[in-house]
Amino acid sequence: MPTGVALREVRRQLFDAAERILLRDGANALTSRAVTTEAGCAKGVLHRHFADFDAFLADLVLDRIDRIDPQAAALREAAGTGTVAANLTSALTALFESVAVAIVSLITARDGLRARLRETIPAGVPVLTEGATMIAAYLTAERDLGRIALDRDPNLLAFTLIGTAHLLYAGKEGDRPEDGAVEEIVTTIIGDAVR
């Protein structure tokens, strides 16, 4: 991009470019040069807006975590409607068919990024932890409505669902799990907890 040409919503353009690279080429392909090339701007643009590449990546992860909030609100609102299994299957599919698996790979691969994220998120694996919180809140709402057994721990079920779904998606090297695979793990895990 020629010098002096104004970019609108630079952060958004850079984040979207990074997401495309993550989804298409994986965490190892994500470099500052790859991001700026994908975004169609000069390399210096990224460094004018972020202290360094790990700062950029940390903001990218936090931005993608913020996108879970509307999903969480919609899932909580779904409590009492449809079936618990269908609601959970839909939520897990939406979470893991986004950039979530690639973000977790990125966090795992970059020590500097993990260190930056620990300043804001002291525990857990970013994205997976927020996903588990979303699922636990939904299961708590369903338990309050009597659709989940009172003796079942929503947090334990949520961690089990998130961990199993993550393994299902992470094991496919970019391919979607087979049709019905997410629903199968959901119905197996929640099993006799559903009333």
Side-chain angles (χ1 to χ4, degrees):
M1 170 176 267
T3 304
V5 176
L7 292 173
R8 294 192 177 151
E9 299 183 21
V10 174
R11 291 171 57 88
R12 176 77 33 231
Q13 285 181 263
L14 293 170
F15 288 164
D16 289 348
E19 184 173 307
R20 288 190 301 273
I21 293 166
L22 277 171
L23 291 171
R24 182 183 63 232
D25 304 320
N28 290 334
L30 195 62
T31 64
S32 60
R33 182 165 307 282
V35 170
T36 54
T37 299
E38 182 78 19
C41 62
K43 185 175 181 183
V45 170
L46 188 143
H47 294 289
R48 271 196 303 266
H49 292 275
F50 300 93
D52 58 30
F53 194 55
D54 283 328
F56 166 76
L57 294 174
D59 280 1
L60 169 68
V61 171
L62 295 173
D63 181 75
R64 290 336 189 218
I65 287 171
D66 287 344
R67 291 182 176 192
I68 294 173
D69 291 342
Q71 289 177 289
L75 183 58
R76 277 191 312 276
E77 289 175 17
T81 66
T83 67
V84 173
N87 291 338
L88 288 169
T89 299
S90 177
L92 289 167
T93 301
L95 178 66
F96 286 107
E97 287 188 0
S98 69
V99 73
V101 174
I103 291 283
V104 172
S105 295
L106 179 66
I107 293 166
T108 303
R110 295 189 63 99
D111 294 338
L113 173 57
R114 276 194 314 281
R116 294 249 179 167
L117 290 171
R118 285 290 170 238
E119 296 170 10
T120 310
I121 305 167
V125 178
V127 177
L128 297 182
T129 300
E130 288 75 20
T133 300
M134 170 182 71
I135 298 296
Y138 166 73
L139 289 169
T140 299
E142 291 289 16
R143 188 178 66 181
D144 293 346
L145 293 170
R147 292 183 5 138
I148 295 288
L150 290 175
D151 64 344
R152 294 308 172 95
D153 181 355
N155 290 311
L156 182 59
L157 288 171
F159 289 137
T160 305
L161 287 162
I162 287 291
T164 306
H166 179 251
L167 290 171
L168 182 66
Y169 276 90
K172 292 294 188 180
E173 295 186 29
D175 294 335
R176 294 183 71 225
E178 294 178 15
D179 289 342
V182 176
E183 183 179 12
E184 182 179 349
I185 66 164
V186 168
T187 55
T188 301
I189 291 168
I190 63 173
D192 60 356
V194 178
R195 299 282 164 245

